[in-house]
Amino acid sequence: MKKRHLMGAAAALLATATVLAACAPGGSSSSSTTAPSGVSTDVSGEDVTLKMLDFWQGEEGKWMDSVVAGFQKVHPNIKIERTTQDWGQVMNTLNLRLADPNGPDIALVNNGWQSMGTLAKGGRILNLDAYAAAYGWKDEIPTTILRQEQFTADGKQMGTGSLYAVPAARSSLIGLYYNKAILDKLGLQPPKTVDEFEKACTAIKAAGQVPIAYGSQEKGASTAILFAVQDLYGSAKDIGDFVYSSGSVPITSTGITQAAAAVQKWNEAGWLTPNHQGVPFADAMNNFLGGKGVFQFNYTGSLGFSAAQKQTFGYVQLPQANGDQVVGTGSTVGNLAISAKSKHPDAAAAFLDYMAGKATAQTSVDHGYLPLLHNDVQEPAGNPELATEIAAQKKLDEGNGFVPYFDWATPTMLDTLGGQVQLLLAGKVTPEQLASAGQKDYDTFQAQRAKG
């Protein structure tokens, strides 16, 4: 598979006999750039106001305000008016809002069947293929990320077909965090392989400390460790094909059984937080930050490190158990779509292009967040923890090793596997039974899809 990086430089795009002055994400064009389909990347001229619906608040809201300010500096004739609500409010009202002619021009949509698939099928969001051609998105965005934004027009097939959203240049991964201060005291180095990780856990346990901070009280949160470890055993292709329902890949070919067996073994060895069944994952995170646990499998951006903790914690994307290939669950933190009722789709597409560009990636780093799509950002000064996340993501990008969140496979997979992890760690199901439950969930959903 060809390796692709977003370089932030202008690119020439040939479409039929017309040469388009197209731009890589985040670029701009001052010449007339009307594609054969009628879309244009030249958005200079009349004043335009775009309404945007998103869920970025607090510190994330400050990041987004900086992104908007940067875009408006490049395009002073376009004003972005943000409406922010929490995640649940946005997701629960999005379909109705996009049906309103006076609704948002741009909105954040969630990956998967229930959000992006439903909106695409219902004609609520624009098919972005023409803009993808004009801006070169399909040539520049890594294919493993691009698939996360694609659906067929009937909303029945994910991971193929047309582009319905564009990723923001900010990333979310699942991987392994470590407390370097404790490792140093024990004379251990951050692990670079699964074997090194398990040897470190053995030594940490022998020293009377908790190797892996964990809480399994909630179903959803209990799966982070399973999905992270699955990436050490399943190939990117098999995991992706299962999630996207491409072909007939069984769940047993995705590494889920081996991951469940590994987590079960670690639990039986006493490496997880004692009595983790009664520990909420939020408490497990606080335990980890407070030194009660040396490792934690978690989502990037979840831990909220203090300035001091940024000096003593780190992150690694472990290579697969049978080699040096790096596969990891990762996606953008937000997917931006254009309302089918927007009166200014060209201007909205220019903003989507900017959101996927290098300037937005750099703004992400400047605000302490992990960037996506760009390897040539200036790394943060005084934040070695974030630097380790960026280094890990570079390895994923170099090998095109991103895989989608496994629970995207069905609307109920997260709940199914979360419950199975709880049962597994209670000794009530085997790794094989866990996989069988996931396959049953998948088969039931496929049968429902077949019925339309």
Side-chain angles (χ1 to χ4, degrees):
M1 186 176 292
K2 181 181 178 183
K3 181 177 74 174
R4 294 167 176 159
H5 301 288
L6 300 182
M7 302 306 294
L13 179 69
L14 292 176
T16 62
T18 305
V19 177
L20 305 177
C23 306
S28 61
S29 176
S30 59
S31 61
S32 177
T33 56
T34 302
S37 60
V39 307
S40 177
T41 60
D42 182 0
V43 294
S44 60
E46 65 174 330
D47 291 344
V48 170
T49 297
L50 297 175
K51 290 179 285 187
M52 177 175 170
L53 176 65
D54 67 75
F55 51 77
W56 287 310
Q57 303 178 58
E59 291 302 312
E60 287 190 310
K62 294 177 183 178
W63 161 73
M64 192 61 208
D65 286 340
S66 295
V67 173
V68 168
F71 173 78
Q72 292 179 160
K73 185 175 182 181
V74 176
H75 299 286
N77 62 307
I78 303 176
K79 181 181 179 182
I80 306 292
E81 290 185 350
R82 294 178 60 213
T83 296
T84 61
Q85 293 182 324
D86 65 41
W87 167 263
Q89 288 177 303
V90 172
M91 291 300 110
N92 290 335
T93 62
L94 190 54
N95 201 325
L96 289 175
R97 290 187 181 198
L98 290 172
D100 183 351
N102 296 313
D105 298 275
I106 300 167
L108 283 177
V109 299
N110 197 14
N111 304 85
W113 303 103
Q114 290 181 305
S115 182
M116 195 182 299
T118 298
L119 295 171
K121 182 178 180 180
R124 294 285 193 251
I125 54 179
L126 281 184
N127 180 318
L128 300 177
D129 283 348
Y131 289 112
Y135 283 105
W137 293 334
K138 289 188 178 181
D139 294 324
E140 300 296 338
I141 298 173
T143 55
T144 48
I145 294 295
L146 196 67
R147 290 186 78 183
Q148 299 178 11
E149 317 295 336
Q150 291 177 308
F151 262 93
T152 53
D154 58 10
K156 292 184 177 181
Q157 184 65 52
M158 179 169 57
T160 188
S162 295
L163 199 69
Y164 282 93
V166 173
R170 226 188 91 197
S171 180
S172 175
L173 309 175
I174 306 178
L176 181 66
Y177 282 96
Y178 56 85
N179 186 323
K180 192 173 186 302
I182 297 178
L183 289 176
D184 286 345
K185 289 180 181 178
L186 297 176
L188 301 171
Q189 293 295 317
K192 296 180 180 179
T193 66
V194 178
D195 287 344
E196 289 183 9
F197 168 72
E198 292 189 336
K199 289 177 181 177
C201 286
T202 300
I204 294 164
K205 178 67 175 178
Q209 299 203 43
V210 176
I212 306 170
Y214 185 62
S216 62
Q217 187 179 88
E218 308 100 337
K219 286 184 180 180
S222 69
T223 58
I225 190 171
L226 181 70
F227 295 157
V229 179
Q230 178 186 22
D231 296 336
L232 306 179
Y233 294 97
S235 72
K237 183 179 186 305
D238 285 342
I239 293 173
D241 284 350
F242 180 87
V243 172
Y244 297 129
S245 306
S246 301
S248 57
V249 176
I251 198 170
T252 50
S253 294
T254 67
I256 199 79
T257 310
Q258 296 95 319
V263 175
Q264 182 185 55
K265 180 182 72 173
W266 299 345
N267 184 56
E268 291 172 350
W271 293 353
L272 306 184
T273 298
N275 303 312
H276 56 77
Q277 294 88 347
V279 178
F281 201 73
D283 290 351
M285 290 193 292
N286 289 331
N287 289 340
F288 177 59
L289 292 172
K292 297 177 181 179
V294 183
F295 298 112
Q296 185 171 71
F297 292 93
N298 207 338
Y299 300 83
T300 57
S302 297
L303 285 161
F305 297 109
S306 68
Q309 288 165 341
K310 291 173 183 176
Q311 312 305 312
T312 59
F313 285 80
Y315 176 90
V316 63
Q317 207 78 44
L318 293 173
Q320 294 200 296
N322 62 352
D324 57 3
Q325 175 70 25
V326 179
V327 171
T329 299
S331 73
T332 173
V333 297
N335 315 283
L336 288 94
I338 300 175
S339 170
K341 294 186 179 295
S342 174
K343 298 178 179 64
H344 308 288
D346 289 348
F351 183 72
L352 266 60
D353 183 65
Y354 188 85
M355 282 295 294
K358 183 180 176 181
T360 296
Q362 187 61 59
T363 302
S364 301
V365 173
D366 294 343
H367 282 77
Y369 298 116
L370 181 61
L372 180 69
L373 306 176
H374 300 271
N375 285 338
D376 53 348
V377 293
Q378 183 177 348
E379 294 194 6
N383 191 345
E385 188 286 317
L386 182 57
T388 62
E389 293 183 21
I390 293 174
Q393 182 168 270
K394 284 182 179 179
K395 291 183 179 180
L396 277 174
D397 188 42
E398 288 165 1
N400 207 4
F402 293 97
V403 296
Y405 288 89
F406 198 70
D407 57 279
W408 292 352
T410 80
T412 53
M413 187 64 76
L414 184 65
D415 186 68
T416 294
L417 289 182
Q420 288 294 308
V421 169
Q422 291 174 328
L423 293 172
L424 176 79
L425 299 181
K428 295 182 179 180
V429 300
T430 65
E432 291 76 18
Q433 289 171 323
L434 178 147
S436 179
Q439 185 69 56
K440 181 179 179 181
D441 183 299
Y442 181 84
D443 291 342
T444 299
F445 178 64
Q446 296 306 318
Q448 293 171 348
R449 286 181 60 218
K451 292 178 180 179

